[in-house]
Amino acid sequence: MDKIIIGIHGLGNKPSKEILERWWIDAMCEGLKKIDKYEFVPKFELAYWADILNDKPLAEEITDKENLYFLDEKYVPEPEIIEPRDNSTRERILNFLEKQMDWIFLNDDLTSNFSAISDMVFKKYFKELDIYFTSKRDIPNEIVSIKNNIRNRLAEVIKKHEGKEILLLSHSMGTIIAFDVCSLMTTDINIDTFVTMGSPLGLPIVVSEIAEELKVNNPGLHKLSTPKNITRSWINYYDLEDSVAINYHLKDDYIENENKVKVQGINVVNNYEINDEKNPHKSYGYLRTPEFANLLSEFLVRDRTKLDLWVIKTKEKCVNIYKNLTGK
């Protein structure tokens, strides 16, 4: 069976699809090289949706940091020196806060408690999420919700690759979009492996928003679950210093599906850094972690003789295979 990696990005404006797609590939290849698994890489396609909310992409050639389209976080290889971390205290605090947040903001029926506060948090700190859940956009001859516009981007890519063995990668807000699409739009298309990185899916306000929509067809819903079309595994990668993924114990909010697939959380170190500024939420940092690289390698090696793969003979080629992988 042919294999395909499908990705969907997260919050904020981005560089062009071509650049972002190439940088995701570069990050994955960097991770594979670190674990000495660089010979085989499957085709990759990014579901790009930044242009739905932004009139033009961020640009490398802009040098004015005050410019709205200045690209301040490019893909760069990992730092030569990686400082060790001790997040044990932070982990205990986050575990305590997670239980308190669920108890305060989420009712037993998955409705949101203190909805006015939740709405305020959305509008102040999660602009794109607020737009995704509430706004509409004028389009000639029709009004289409931004939510459906964004979802359709991913749904179209998944449908195009129906019948293949799919590894679905999602980051940040992209994890919410991917969950929604799998739960509501592509339920009959199998996803072999679902990967979430830096995910806000555990936040009570996100859980309640997802549940509200799912209750339309399932009024008695009292617990979210892994989408039924996930057939092998759902892995959630999180960094304890990632402020978007502070509710990282998704297993507390999502039960297993009919395929016995339950979300598995894996703590990683996202070492993305540029100009001496660290960002433990950045997608490139997650994509090159050895934990994800090992999962990717296992996905590639499984039934390898049946794959439509590009053979990469040297480590150097691995970071220059964008055209071969995407056909562009």
Side-chain angles (χ1 to χ4, degrees), residues 14-73:
K14 306 294 177 188
S16 69
K17 178 182 179 181
E18 291 73 19
I19 292 174
L20 189 60
E21 207 167 37
R22 185 176 74 242
W23 284 349
W24 274 46
I25 290 171
D26 287 349
M28 285 187 279
C29 285
E30 184 181 357
L32 289 172
K33 287 196 295 180
K34 283 194 298 183
I35 63 168
D36 243 4
K37 304 286 186 180
Y38 52 84
E39 291 90 351
F40 294 94
V41 179
K43 293 185 178 179
F44 172 74
E45 182 167 355
L46 182 70
Y48 184 86
W49 56 273
D51 58 322
I52 294 176
L53 299 179
N54 301 278
D55 58 349
K56 58 182 181 179
L58 304 178
E60 289 186 88
E61 61 270 17
I62 294 175
T63 57
D64 179 7
K65 294 183 179 180
E66 301 302 317
N67 190 300
L68 185 62
Y69 303 102
F70 173 73
L71 178 58
D72 60 339
E73 291 187 322

Side-chain angles (χ1 to χ4, degrees), residues 187-293:
T187 57
D188 57 342
I189 300 176
N190 287 342
I191 304 296
D192 179 86
T193 303
F194 181 34
V195 170
T196 50
M197 299 177 169
S199 177
L201 277 168
L203 292 173
I205 50 179
V206 172
V207 170
S208 64
E209 289 283 352
I210 292 173
E212 181 179 354
E213 187 168 9
L214 292 177
K215 282 183 178 182
V216 173
N217 294 320
N218 185 6
L221 181 70
H222 281 80
K223 195 75 173 178
L224 298 180
S225 68
T226 302
K228 69 177 186 179
N229 63 334
I230 310 300
T231 60
R232 185 181 297 270
S233 61
W234 173 6
I235 310 297
N236 180 57
Y237 296 96
Y238 61 91
D239 185 308
L240 288 170
E241 296 185 9
D242 182 348
S243 58
V244 175
I246 56 173
N247 283 58
Y248 54 83
H249 284 308
L250 300 188
K251 64 182 181 180
D252 296 338
D253 300 297
Y254 300 84
I255 61 176
E256 66 183 19
N257 65 7
E258 296 175 356
N259 300 315
K260 305 297 182 183
V261 176
K262 188 172 184 179
V263 58
Q264 176 187 353
I266 297 181
N267 181 16
V268 300
V269 174
N270 184 331
N271 58 23
Y272 180 82
E273 181 179 332
I274 188 168
N275 299 323
D276 296 323
E277 291 289 331
K278 297 180 180 180
N279 183 355
H281 180 61
K282 199 66 183 177
S283 58
Y284 315 132
Y286 276 114
L287 290 166
R288 67 187 179 207
T289 59
E291 292 85 356
F292 170 67

